[in-house]
Amino acid sequence: MKHTAMIIHPDDNVANLIGAADKDEPVECTVDGRRETREVILLENIPANHKFAAKNLKAGDPIIKYGMNIGRASCDIQQGQYVHVHNIESNRGRGDLQSSP
Amino acid sequence: MRDCFYGYPRPDGQVGIRNYVLMLSGTLYANPTCERVVWMVQNTIPIVHPLGRCQIAPDLAQTFKTLVGPGRNPNAGAVIVVDHFKEQGCTADDIAQEVAQSGKPVEVVNIRHEGGALAALQKSARLAVEFNRKINAQPREKTPLSKLIYGFNCGTSDVTSGLAHNRCVGWVCDRIIEAGGRALGAETTEMIGGEELIKARAKTPEVARTLLGFIERMEKNILACGVDMRGSQPTGDNIAGGLSTIEEKSLGAMQKWGAKTIVGAVEYAEPIGQEAGLWLMDTPGHGGESITGIAAAGAQVMSFSTGGGHTINHPLMITMRLTGNRESWEKMQDTMEVDVSDMFEGTSLEEAGERLLDEVLDTCDGKMTKAEALREFNAFAINRCGPSV
């Protein structure tokens, strides 16, 4: 069975995997609920329903999901890499940054 | 779509979806009396809690309104307030007096005046039996959805939350509002990161300012504790479920808001206005405290959407739980009512939304939730705004 993922908004740079998938496996991404698909090859194993990069990202780049900012890349991230707390961080509710709604 | 439910009209114009006798404990020391009555007498519901003593004035005032709220909630047909302490502004008599303004029958049982816990138990149980015989003669009546306050909340979120079950809740909110009803959400923690969406959706700049003020206050309160919110939000469960930041959690949570205008914003446990539309309350992300605030505002029914599965339910505001995570549905089926995990296999939002709406309206008409069938009462939790002294 082919793996699938959801890119919720056309501007999003991360995708949500449906189920789990392993390194080197291709994933077919639906964009904004449409069957207009984009294929991404996973560079790492991804746990069930977690995120991976749908584009190449530089450290400091905003992470976009639902068409909105959910944080920033804390290091460079390649398309197909696992995206989670180890390589992205929140911009909010922290003592070391000015909160900027 | 059905445009009505069958409920119990109250003298103040609200309409209940249940006709319970409420055993309302004034302080933690009256809890056993209330709990014993609930196990003895059919159709009684407990409101018990650890507060009511040695609280600073604003904190005690918040406890007071959070106890009066369920007393006034139309799902209670009659109320028995039990206590014997004399906390200023929050005695059993103060609570009963405020609840009685709703026009429903209310009695106070003072443990000391009755001659102790056993005498108070006897009196409370006898009153509960009498109230049951009195209020249960009332039939259900056809009621327009304009009388419904649909509460919604979420917990143990994972990535399925923003993709499946929260969207179903949003869809149901929209349908209820279109039928003239009100939907009431909360959880200020999960508005952090959603400021642009709030500004775009608020009916007036004042509503937007109030909500942004809630967020600012929440962030300041966290930082004033000398800690960083990371480490507590997102929670460990959220992170295991694939949510990386509070912003991601918030935007997923806000899928529950549907697409209608935010018509008003209220403080914790305050009643909402009469206008149809989406209402929001300032509460923490803590599930029990949050739904307790919503129930105090008069919501009769609640959809609680969860990724990891949950046992949560409010004793009086009838709580039905849904998930889009099939594994959670299978593991937590004793306390979940609706499964929408087939949304990941092609079921449309409309189809899954209809399923949830049917369950909500059936529940309003009297269909028992699993929590009701199991007589589980676990999520009455009063939010505090001060220390014990």
Side-chain angles (χ1 to χ4, degrees), chain A residues 40-95:
Chain A
V40 174
I41 306 288
L42 296 182
L43 302 182
E44 294 173 90
N45 298 347
I46 314 276
N49 306 327
H50 284 219
K51 294 182 294 297
F52 60 86
K55 292 173 183 166
N56 289 327
L57 300 164
K58 292 253 174 264
D61 278 357
I63 305 298
I64 308 294
K65 182 178 168 183
Y66 302 108
M68 287 181 267
N69 190 326
I70 64 158
R72 64 171 78 180
S74 51
C75 58
D76 292 353
I77 307 172
Q78 290 207 298
Q79 178 179 304
Q81 271 193 306
Y82 183 30
V83 170
H84 201 17
V85 289
H86 60 287
N87 56 10
I88 75 169
E89 59 185 15
S90 173
N91 291 317
R92 305 297 302 276
R94 41 196 289 182

Side-chain angles (χ1 to χ4, degrees), chain B residues 245-308:
Chain B
T245 65
I246 183 62
E247 297 96 309
E248 183 181 15
K249 180 176 173 175
S250 295
L251 293 170
M254 289 161 89
Q255 303 297 310
K256 300 193 301 301
W257 294 7
K260 302 294 179 194
T261 303
I262 305 166
V263 295
V266 293
E267 296 282 347
Y268 186 77
E270 294 279 349
I272 63 173
Q274 293 298 320
E275 188 175 352
L278 177 63
W279 289 79
L280 294 168
M281 177 181 284
D282 179 30
T283 76
H286 183 292
E289 291 185 11
S290 188
I291 74 171
T292 293
I294 292 172
Q300 301 102 316
V301 66
M302 140 110 9
S303 284
F304 192 95
S305 59
T306 158

Side-chain angles (χ1 to χ4, degrees), chain B residues 30 71 79 107 113 130 134 166 168 195 200 202 207 216 223 225 228 255 270 282 295 301-302 332 336 347 350 357:
Chain B
V79 182
E107 288 283 350
H113 293 177
E130 285 165 8
K134 182 172 172 181
N166 285 354
C168 289
E195 288 84 353
V207 171
E216 202 184 327
L223 295 176
C225 297
D228 188 309
Q255 303 297 310
E270 294 279 349
D282 179 30
V301 66
M302 140 110 9
M332 298 292 277
M336 307 287 297
T347 297
E350 289 69 25
L357 181 61

Side-chain angles (χ1 to χ4, degrees), chain B residues 334-353:
Chain B
D334 293 337
T335 54
M336 307 287 297
E337 280 78 14
V338 180
D339 171 23
V340 292
S341 60
D342 51 332
M343 286 179 80
F344 291 104
E345 291 150 9
T347 297
S348 69
L349 175 60
E350 289 69 25
E351 251 177 286

Side-chain angles (χ1 to χ4, degrees), chain B residues 166-200:
Chain B
N166 285 354
R167 291 170 64 214
C168 289
V169 172
W171 190 89
V172 169
C173 283
D174 288 351
R175 300 294 86 73
I176 287 174
I177 291 167
E178 282 163 6
R182 289 167 283 174
L184 174 58
E187 301 173 281
T188 303
T189 326
E190 290 160 19
M191 299 177 198
I192 296 175
E195 288 84 353
E196 290 310 314
L197 196 147
I198 288 171
K199 284 182 208 160

